[in-house]
């Protein structure tokens, strides 16, 4: 990343420490659309601040993203919980999309959990409300947070160790490949057919750029998609954001328990 991005992330981390009165953090969670109820299930925060209190953060632009950062202590781990994220489709550029992850890294975090709401591409074995571990991704966003001759190995972008911990916590968890489009439009049925042919299992508009930034900084990454709708052309239902939020609310208890169990072992 550029020197300016390093400096801004460092300044945000310094302000985060000052406002929370904590010097170090163990893990960061980025909560996607509809995941705020799952964050509530982690327990009462010991600190809670608005993201706009820190340098470089934009106010939330999407319903279901609260625009706050909580500090929650779970199983002896101090977690930074980002309630929402900036998306590429907001038009702010790539740097703001990954600023939260880079701030967490500057604050000392070495493991990042990225969650999202996703369309399910495999209705034959996926149901609305199913969590799916991300085993790999396909970046179709047309963007990358790395610039120049920065060559990064992504052969294990999503940590096998952390996925094993998640499966220990919930042996029913499936794994799948997450494809990322820029958005904000939902995909066409023809695009969904293409994605299935490419080997994708979930489709969304986030996570991939954050995962790349986290790996650039040396952090382990765990990605979890919540299937909140069946993708276009695979069912008779039309797609809307309220459906996404409703699925998140319905799965909050299970997701909160899963995250709490995993965090204690990260």
């Amino acid at each position: 990343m550029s020197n300016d991005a390093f400096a801004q992330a460092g300044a945000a981390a310094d302000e985060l420490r000052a406002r929370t009165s904590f010097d170090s953090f163990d893990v960061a969670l980025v909560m996607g659309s509809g995941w705020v109820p799952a964050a509530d299930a982690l327990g009462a925060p010991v600190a809670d601040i608005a993201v706009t209190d820190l340098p470089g953060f934009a106010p939330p632009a999407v319903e279901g993203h609260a625009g706050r950062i909580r500090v929650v202590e779970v199983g002896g781990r101090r977690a930074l919980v980002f309630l929402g994220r900036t998306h590429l489709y907001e038009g702010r550029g790539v740097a703001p999309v990954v600023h939260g992850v880079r701030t967490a890294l500057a604050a000392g975090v070495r493991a990042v959990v990225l969650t999202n709401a996703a369309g399910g591409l495999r209705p034959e074995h996926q149901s609305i409300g199913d969590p799916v571990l991300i085993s790999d991704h396909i970046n179709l966003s047309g963007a990358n947070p790395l610039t120049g001759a920065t060559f990064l190995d992504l052969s294990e972008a999503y940590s096998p160790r952390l996925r094993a911990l998640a499966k220990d916590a919930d042996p029913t968890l499936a794994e799948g490949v997450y494809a990322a489009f820029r958005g904000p439009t939902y995909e066409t049925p023809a695009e969904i057919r293409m994605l299935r042919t490419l080997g994708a299992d979930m489709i969304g508009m986030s996570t991939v750029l954050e995962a790349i930034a986290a790996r650039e900084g040396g952090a382990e990454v765990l990605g979890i998609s919540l299937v909140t709708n069946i993708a276009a052309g695979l069912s008779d239902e039309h797609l809307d954001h309220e459906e996404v939020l409703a699925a998140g609310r319905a799965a909050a208890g299970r997701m909160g328990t899963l995250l709490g169990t995993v965090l204690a072992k990260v």
Side-chain angles (χ1 to χ4, degrees):
M1 76 175 118
S2 70
N3 289 334
D4 288 346
F6 269 116
Q8 191 168 60
D14 289 343
E15 186 65 20
L16 178 65
R17 294 186 185 98
R19 288 182 177 269
T20 62
S21 300
F22 294 113
D23 291 330
S24 64
F25 306 92
D26 301 303
V27 59
L29 294 87
V30 180
M31 310 302 281
S33 295
W35 279 79
V36 171
D40 294 338
L42 291 175
V46 294
D48 186 329
I49 64 172
V51 294
T52 50
D53 288 340
L54 306 181
F57 284 88
V62 183
E63 184 181 359
H65 291 256
R68 303 195 68 81
I69 302 173
R70 293 178 183 173
V71 180
V72 181
E73 294 183 338
V74 182
R77 302 292 192 272
R78 185 173 296 144
L80 283 173
V81 183
F82 291 81
L83 302 183
R85 53 164 50 98
T86 295
H87 299 81
L88 191 60
Y89 59 71
E90 294 173 36
R92 303 177 190 273
V94 173
V97 173
V98 299
H99 181 58
V101 165
R102 287 172 168 169
T103 295
L105 296 178
V109 161
R110 305 312 299 164
V112 177
V113 180
L114 302 172
T115 73
N116 61 58
L121 301 178
R122 308 291 171 180
E124 59 270 24
H125 56 75
Q126 289 174 345
S127 299
I128 292 175
D130 283 352
V132 182
L133 298 177
I134 301 176
S135 59
D136 205 345
H137 72 233
I138 302 172
N139 184 5
L140 297 172
S141 71
N144 196 303
L146 279 59
T147 58
T150 305
F151 304 113
L152 178 67
D153 179 16
L154 293 177
S155 56
E156 290 188 347
Y158 300 89
S159 167
R161 182 184 77 88
L162 296 184
R163 299 205 314 270
L165 288 178
K167 285 189 172 183
D168 286 343
D170 185 347
T172 69
L173 285 171
E175 292 190 347
V177 175
Y178 177 84
F181 275 7
R182 182 187 183 95
T185 54
Y186 291 112
E187 301 72 38
T188 67
E191 289 170 335
I192 295 303
R193 292 194 298 272
M194 175 192 72
L195 290 170
R196 283 168 57 92
T197 301
L198 290 176
D201 301 292
M202 298 88 69
I203 175 64
M205 306 173 191
S206 67
T207 301
V208 165
L209 302 186
E210 293 160 312
I212 294 170
R215 294 300 298 130
E216 177 196 24
E220 286 187 282
V221 176
L222 177 66
I224 309 174
S225 291
L226 181 65
V227 177
T228 53
N229 59 272
I230 300 303
L234 301 180
S235 77
D236 295 329
E237 299 295 323
H238 291 282
L239 306 181
D240 66 78
H241 193 59
E242 288 303 320
E243 178 185 19
V244 170
L245 299 180
R249 289 190 292 268
R254 181 184 181 187
M255 295 301 95
T257 299
L258 171 63
L259 292 174
T261 304
V262 172
L263 289 182
K265 298 179 179 179
V266 169

